Amino acid sequence: DAKTTQPNSMESNEEEPVHLPCNHSTISGTDYIHWYRQLPSQGPEYVIHGLTSNVNNRMASLAIAEDRKSSTLILHRATLRDAAVYYCILRRGAGSYQLTFGKGTKLSVIP
Amino acid sequence: GAGVSQTPSNKVTEKGKYVELRCDPISGHTALYWYRQSLGQGPEFLIYFQGTGAADDSGLPNDRFFAVRPEGSVSTLKIQRTERGDSAVYLCASSTTGSGYTFGSGTRLTVV
């Protein structure tokens, strides 16, 4: 699987937007970009995924660079509940099943 | 149920003992996955079921680990002759075509 690179940690103030970056310079044309997050003492939770176009859902937005070598997960208004480890994962093809997790970015939200 | 259920939530066992960890996936999800997560690390893939069969067990660390899903729903991860290095959180997830994974809260296994 192609590798992703994320900062180890980030901080945000509550109610401010958060931009979580991910580099994936070796991404292939069939790789989907997935984001999961893991709150303390819980299993990972699906956040969003995309292939080429930017994506929005109720939880977040995903901005994908035109060359697809990087992406950014955007939380529009951070809450304390958003404090978690965020994982950026490349999943090969629509039928691929295996997720390869890195260490992710630990997001702290300051009240 | 509404989510993936894993039991027990915590398990402490003595080195050398046998343990079984249970996963109850979301009803109708044909795909089921087991992952293992050590402290400070991301989850690590163990095995993937499509229906009743193990489609990929390449992540199982050795032959002490085995998993079954006899009726295509509930799955059991079995660990024989447990070692202290097996201590971790064991996560189960399920999915259906085109959906993201839904993970359970995991079973924290401690081998003493």
Side-chain angles (χ1 to χ4, degrees):
Chain A
D1 290 332
K3 185 182 162 70
T4 63
T5 305
Q6 299 177 253
N8 290 332
S9 62
M10 290 184 64
E11 274 188 359
S12 173
N13 292 317
E14 195 177 9
E15 299 187 6
E16 289 188 357
V18 184
H19 290 228
L20 295 161
C22 181
N23 287 321
H24 29 78
S25 58
T26 59
I27 191 170
S28 76
T30 57
D31 285 339
Y32 285 74
I33 302 159
H34 285 245
W35 284 83
Y36 282 74
R37 71 179 185 181
Q38 188 170 22
L39 279 64
S41 301
Q42 295 191 25
E45 174 188 26
Y46 168 80
V47 177
I48 200 167
H49 78 279
L51 183 61
T52 56
S53 303
N54 294 345
V55 184
N56 300 294
N57 67 20
R58 63 173 181 82
M59 290 180 71
S61 295
L62 176 60
I64 301 173
E66 198 169 329
D67 64 4
R68 302 210 323 127
K69 293 184 186 297
S70 65
S71 60
T72 303
L73 180 70
I74 302 165
L75 307 180
H76 296 286
R77 199 164 155 269
T79 68
L80 296 178
R81 194 194 170 278
D82 292 322
V85 177
Y86 286 78
Y87 296 99
C88 170
I89 299 163
L90 299 184
R91 189 172 175 186
R92 179 139 300 166
S96 175
Y97 52 85
Q98 194 179 125
L99 298 178
T100 302
F101 289 81
K103 290 191 176 182
T105 296
K106 183 174 182 179
L107 175 67
S108 301
V109 179
I110 302 165
Chain B
V4 176
S5 175
Q6 291 189 246
T7 54
S9 55
N10 279 284
K11 176 73 176 177
V12 179
T13 190
E14 291 180 350
K15 179 174 176 293
K17 298 288 189 185
Y18 167 83
V19 296
E20 290 189 352
L21 312 179
R22 177 188 167 107
C23 173
D24 211 327
I26 291 174
S27 178
H29 278 193
T30 56
L32 184 145
Y33 318 82
W34 284 98
Y35 281 74
R36 177 169 73 172
Q37 187 170 25
S38 301
L39 195 62
Q41 305 294 317
E44 174 190 22
F45 171 78
L46 294 177
I47 188 169
Y48 155 60
F49 286 90
Q50 183 60 249
T52 60
D56 183 354
D57 64 358
S58 62
L60 295 178
N62 52 59
D63 61 6
R64 295 187 297 106
F65 288 74
F66 189 71
V68 296
R69 194 186 185 200
E71 297 177 358
S73 56
V74 171
S75 176
T76 305
L77 179 66
K78 308 180 182 198
I79 310 174
Q80 298 178 322
R81 304 182 304 279
T82 52
E83 300 176 357
R84 292 200 177 87
D86 298 335
S87 297
V89 175
Y90 289 81
L91 294 162
C92 176
S94 69
S95 72
T96 189
T97 305
S99 76
Y101 286 22
T102 302
F103 280 85
S105 295
T107 294
R108 181 175 299 279
L109 175 67
T110 305
V111 182
V112 299

